[in-house]
Amino acid sequence: MKQIIAGHGSGGKLMNEMIASVIKSILGPESIQIDDSAILDLPATKIAFTTDSYTVTPIFFPGGDIGKLAINGTVNDLAVMGAIPKYISCALILEEGFEIEEFESILRSMKEAADLADVQIVTGDTKVVPSGKGDRIYINTSGIGIIKNKVQRGDILQGDKIIVSGNIGDHGVTIMSLRNNLTFSSNLKSDCAALNKMIESLCNKFSDDIRFIRDATRGGVASVLNEITSNKDFSIRLDEDQIPVSNEVRGICDILGLDPLYVANEGKIVIVASQSKASDIISEMKKFPEASHASIIGDVDSLYPGKVYIETFVGGKRLLPLLVEEQLPRIC
Amino acid sequence: MKQIIAGHGSGGKLMNEMIASVIKSILGPESIQIDDSAILDLPATKIAFTTDSYTVTPIFFPGGDIGKLAINGTVNDLAVMGAIPKYISCALILEEGFEIEEFESILRSMKEAADLADVQIVTGDTKVVPSGKGDRIYINTSGIGIIKNKVQRGDILQGDKIIVSGNIGDHGVTIMSLRNNLTFSSNLKSDCAALNKMIESLCNKFSDDIRFIRDATRGGVASVLNEITSNKDFSIRLDEDQIPVSNEVRGICDILGLDPLYVANEGKIVIVASQSKASDIISEMKKFPEASHASIIGDVDSLYPGKVYIETFVGGKRLLPLLVEEQLPRIC
């Protein structure tokens, strides 16, 4: 089986051939510019710009792979800012010895994800590092989106509702189960998905009633909520029995000692919305399959200013602080 | 001495503290958005977009470090497209155990380079990988520039002149000397520099007479020239005695068996210009210290269509093919 060698990252023929035969043939001719930069027409003068490097291990997992993750993660980072994602760059750090067949499979999955999310991969870069200085493949995707809707950063008010777009913890628990060789339920897979179409629709219809949107990746839903309350004079109260978690995720979290509220998602958003429109927003979200389990999980109050807390099934209250460190390294 | 640990790449407090105390304090408050994307105003609707990951080893070298390289490399990739570089992203892959003091030094050098080149670092990302899965620090910088001048891609004509902006091979030879523990001349250092100001001035003044601009990084000047002639009906002839190379670089290339024409530069451009204006272009370039050794090194003819060749001191001719692989891995 063919493998990546140092020359694939050089400025010579081997690199050009690899780019032509592998990368361009899969990602499309625009993906790896012969020029140093892509030249792009933008029908707007306000843009969103984001970057993320993906170092997830393992690189293949139920529900996706590092390539799909790299596209959808960057698409979602743009979408939650009220931007329509348009252009994506793809910079690869390949480890010598990485199987070209696996590489091609990841590129195909990037292409498929980009097509689904309606974004173009317009420029790229390839570097090769020696064995022991990388981990098969790291991918950086940067992205440009056009700001169409006003950027959602309204004041958060007492009584506002907290919404999550579906079952939480699927991505992180899938990755950790793989790493721990836990037997797999066929239902458990990463939630890795592009949410831009759903977010665009929500922004179009509920622009005045959505105060905040964020994707709940590293650190999970609890970390996003802590970011919202940090240094504010309100608190966020969660209803334990409203939080959507699949049975598989709940079971594996028990085994591994994880709290799903802190587990990374790759296809879930948290929304703070007005009390009056929260139910309508849920109805709109449920039109999209990736949000079929969207729920109102809590609200904004003033009981513990600056904090996030949860009311448990039995009526107790427990604070959900920002963790000192993620429970799960290299989840994305 | 403090080191990078896994938690610095997590979604928790440790990461937030490191971002606040180290990254933000050096790169500035905009550099690491609390939001997922930077929102940018662009006074244009045509932009250039580029990405590069930097994996150079060693990370510190005479004339710069991986941070300075990451800023200047991306600035130059935008500038050679006729764009005014504006916004840069900074995505870091840090290896556990990397010294924070060295990290800070690299960030300071990024900030200094960004200020000098008049670009803003507007968004970022930090990942941490275990020891043995990285090499202290890899940096991805993506960049956005505004297309102001028309993009220079005029037809190349017989008689056009080939210009390089100064002594070639300084960057690659500096890196290789370090790796081979060769004794250092105090004069030898990387040419790492931002060329956007010079290129902007050239594009403003010689828009009709510049057919092509490219920075000669991986693969060196010879690889850029091969790209120009590839599948074309003209050839490029170089005058061996016009090619600017410092004595230090020439000496070390002899020792290491390298050809400076194939060695990477990080602050040099190749220009194809009209015969009539080539001297004026050289005069304009020499106003900028980074191009004090700018020279006309050859011209476009039809002797070996599709090829690049060099006329040697003694009148012989030698082809300069595209190498199969770079002589120097991980040079940038």
Side-chain angles (χ1 to χ4, degrees), chain B residues 202-220:
Chain B
L202 292 174
C203 288
N204 284 340
K205 293 184 181 164
F206 301 99
S207 168
D208 293 335
D209 291 278
I210 292 178
R211 325 277 196 213
F212 180 94
I213 307 180
R214 181 65 44 88
D215 49 337
T217 55
R218 278 189 285 185

Side-chain angles (χ1 to χ4, degrees), chain A residues 53-61 66 69 93 95 133-139 171-172 174-176 178-179 218-219 264 266 325-332, chain B residues 5-11 15 93-96 126-134:
Chain A
S53 291
Y54 295 85
T55 61
V56 66
T57 180
I59 56 176
F60 296 99
F61 45 82
I66 189 171
L69 196 62
I93 297 178
E95 187 188 18
K133 302 289 185 188
D135 199 2
R136 301 161 84 198
I137 181 168
Y138 296 144
I139 302 177
H171 177 73
T174 301
I175 299 292
M176 286 313 282
L178 273 177
R179 288 200 210 145
R218 276 188 285 183
E266 289 294 340
E325 51 183 311
E326 240 278 37
Q327 310 171 102
L328 313 171
R330 294 183 66 198
I331 211 74
C332 62
Chain B
I5 59 173
H8 288 135
S10 78
M15 182 167 103
I93 297 178
L94 307 176
E95 185 188 18
E96 272 188 279
T126 307
K127 294 282 157 45
V128 176
V129 295
S131 181
K133 301 291 185 188

